[in-house]
Amino acid sequence: MTRPSGAGAVRGSCLRCGAPVLRQLVGRHAALSVTADAEPTTWAAAFALREPNRLDWCLRELSTGPDLRWTTSYPSPCPHSHVIDHRCPAGTPAGRRPEGTLW
Ligand SMILES: [Zn+2]
């Protein structure tokens, strides 16, 4: 389920809470392993959720699938859909949820 950097995002689910997420290694030199909410939102909404340790990402739909990019290199407001780093809901048990668990 992993792909090399630059190959776009992979749709999956959070190992803790099961929420749909996008995973991607973003960046060429100092790549960051990103797990973002799969639900796209607007630049403004994602920016409002942004924190020092929670980044928002520009979401491009390419022919090869979704692709996450750093937001900082684009003029704001950005016209593309954005996603925000995934954060499990409060109360989610620490650690990986048991295999086969349905929510
Ligand atoms: Zn989660």
Side-chain angles (χ1 to χ4, degrees), residues 17-102:
C17 73
V21 294
L22 296 170
R23 289 194 180 85
Q24 185 180 331
L25 213 52
V26 179
R28 291 183 184 176
H29 301 294
L32 198 64
S33 178
V34 176
T35 300
D37 282 341
E39 189 65 34
T41 183
T42 63
W43 170 84
F47 188 81
L49 292 169
R50 188 174 186 162
E51 297 171 14
N53 291 315
R54 192 183 195 195
L55 301 176
D56 61 308
W57 302 95
C58 185
L59 176 65
R60 309 292 182 89
E61 289 291 344
L62 307 178
S63 58
T64 53
D67 188 53
L68 302 178
R69 303 191 183 180
W70 292 94
T71 58
T72 48
S73 57
Y74 303 103
S76 302
C78 177
H80 298 96
S81 293
H82 278 226
V83 292
I84 186 80
D85 275 345
H86 173 68
R87 185 170 287 175
C88 295
T92 303
R96 184 178 177 145
R97 69 195 171 108
E99 287 293 339
T101 303
L102 298 176

